[in-house]
């Protein structure tokens, strides 16, 4: 790999990881478009959609590890939420990662675009806090959480992302999970899922 391209990837990866840890996302929502468009834009090289998906899976793994460890100290990890949603996203990611190579680059880009659009809509949807994040008993609907997580996992596996950038608005807007519990738990879910995405791609 060219030195200029390597430095560009390092800088973009740092930016993605920084925002991932702060917002509770795997970082791929940021890393995918910038890796796809920035290197050729500044003339240092180019990646295919499949290569970007693979790089995004690896980056999400390390970003989620560091973020999970940081939030664990605050006591915001919700074990039941992580188990139910993590298992569903993991199964979906295995399916999506396996199917990824059968999709064209345009299709992968389209799936990513749809996921990002849905995430943006949910993020800007007005919401009212319904639970206190400082209470130990944070509840959620398992009937909603499981199928939504499975769908996110399949799509995330196709584009090489843990899907946390879509899980976060789903958890906050639809499942009504408190923000800091959502951020901490979504990072833990991404940590469980990323090894599967990474393994099937490399």
């Amino acid at each position: 790999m060219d030195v200029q391209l390597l430095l560009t990837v390092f800088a973009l990866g740092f930016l993605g990881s920084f925002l991932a840890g702060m917002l509770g996302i795997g970082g791929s929502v940021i890393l995918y478009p910038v890796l796809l468009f920035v290197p050729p834009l500044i003339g240092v090289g180019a990646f295919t959609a499949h290569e970007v998906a693979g790089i995004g899976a690896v980056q999400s793994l390390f970003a989620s590890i560091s973020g999970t460890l940081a939030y664990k100290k605050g006591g915001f990890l919700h074990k039941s939420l992580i188990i139910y949603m993590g298992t569903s996203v993991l199964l979906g990611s295995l399916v999506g990662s396996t199917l990824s190579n059968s999709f064209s680059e345009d299709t992968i880009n389209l799936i990513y675009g749809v996921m990002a659009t849905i995430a943006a809509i949910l993020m800007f949807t007005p919401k009212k806090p319904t639970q206190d994040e400082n209470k130990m008993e944070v509840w959620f609907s398992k009937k909603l959480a499981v199928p939504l997580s499975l769908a996110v996992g399949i799509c995330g596996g196709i584009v090489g992302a843990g899907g946390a950038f879509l899980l976060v608005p789903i958890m906050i807007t639809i499942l009504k999970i408190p923000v800091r519990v959502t951020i901490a738990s979504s990072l833990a879910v991404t940590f469980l899922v990323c090894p599967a995405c990474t393994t099937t791609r490399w």
Side-chain angles (χ1 to χ4, degrees), residues 95-120:
V95 174
S97 297
T98 303
L99 295 175
S100 179
N101 289 329
S102 63
F103 289 102
S104 67
E105 291 192 21
D106 288 339
T107 302
I108 293 175
N109 290 336
L110 175 62
I111 293 172
Y112 170 83
V114 171
M115 291 178 70
T117 301
I118 294 173

Side-chain angles (χ1 to χ4, degrees), residues 171-191:
M171 291 164 76
I172 293 174
T173 305
I174 299 177
L175 299 179
K176 310 297 182 183
I177 305 295
V179 174
R180 281 191 286 186
V181 174
T182 290
I183 293 174
S185 300
S186 68
L187 284 168
V189 169
T190 303
F191 168 65

Side-chain angles (χ1 to χ4, degrees), residues 1-8:
M1 182 182 292
D2 183 82
V3 175
Q4 288 182 317
L5 181 57
L6 184 63
L7 291 175
T8 301

Side-chain angles (χ1 to χ4, degrees), residues 77-101:
L77 293 178
H78 192 293
K79 293 181 180 179
S80 179
L81 185 66
I82 294 169
I83 291 172
Y84 276 94
M85 297 193 76
T87 302
S88 301
V89 176
L90 176 60
L91 292 174
S93 294
L94 288 171
V95 174
S97 297
T98 303
L99 295 175
S100 179
N101 289 329

